[in-house]
C-alpha cells in the first residue's frame, strides 16, 4: 500500500510539473524559488508556519520529530505544485 501511495504521489508530482510547463508564462517560478524554501526552513526549524501557528497546527514526522529540511522542502514543493497546478487539496 505504501508503494502504491508513493507511486501515486510521484505521478501527481510529474503531472503537475508537466501542466506547469504548458503555461506560456513563468510567473510561478518566483513563488516556487522564494516561498517554498522559506516555508521548508520554517517547518524544519519550528514545525509550523505563521498561518499554521495561528491554527495550532504543526507538521511532524511519524516518530513525532520535526521534519528535516530536505523532507520539508519536498513537502512544500509538492503542496505548491499540487495546489496550483492540479487545484488539489493538500491534506
Amino acid at each position: 500500500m505504501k508503494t502504491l501511495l508513493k507511486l501515486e504521489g510521484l505521478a501527481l508530482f510529474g503531472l503537475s510539473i508537466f501542466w506547469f510547463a504548458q503555461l506560456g508564462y513563468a510567473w510561478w517560478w518566483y513563488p516556487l524559488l522564494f516561498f517554498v524554501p522559506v516555508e521548508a526552513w520554517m517547518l524544519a526549524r519550528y514545525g509550523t508556519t505563521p498561518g499554521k501557528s495561528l491554527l495550532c497546527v504543526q507538521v511532524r514526522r511519524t516518530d513525532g520529530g520535526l521534519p528535516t529540511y530536505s523532507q520539508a522542502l519536498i513537502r512544500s514543493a509538492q503542496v505548491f505544485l499540487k495546489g496550483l497546478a492540479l487545484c488539489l487539496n493538500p491534506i
Side-chain angles (χ1 to χ4, degrees), residues 14-29 85:
L15 183 61
S16 62
I17 289 175
F18 172 76
W19 281 0
F20 265 132
Q22 301 304 311
L23 295 174
Y25 47 91
W27 63 268
W28 55 276
W29 280 107

Side-chain angles (χ1 to χ4, degrees), residues 3-91:
T3 304
L4 182 62
L5 291 176
K6 287 181 182 180
L7 289 175
E8 180 186 7
L10 184 61
L12 286 174
F13 186 72
L15 183 61
S16 62
I17 289 175
F18 172 76
W19 281 0
F20 265 132
Q22 301 304 311
L23 295 174
Y25 47 91
W27 63 268
W28 55 276
W29 280 107
Y30 300 110
L32 182 65
L33 293 176
F34 178 71
F35 292 113
V36 169
V38 170
E39 179 184 15
W41 173 77
M42 287 192 292
L43 291 175
R45 174 89 173 159
Y46 305 109
T48 190
T49 60
K52 288 178 183 61
S53 179
L54 287 173
L55 298 172
C56 298
V57 174
Q58 288 190 337
V59 175
R60 297 289 182 160
R61 294 189 317 236
T62 55
D63 65 358
L66 292 174
T68 64
Y69 181 75
S70 61
Q71 291 170 334
L73 188 64
I74 290 169
R75 180 199 180 275
S76 298
Q78 287 179 344
V79 167
F80 178 81
L81 289 173
K82 289 177 185 178
L84 289 180
L86 299 177
C87 299
L88 295 176
N89 186 358
I91 294 178

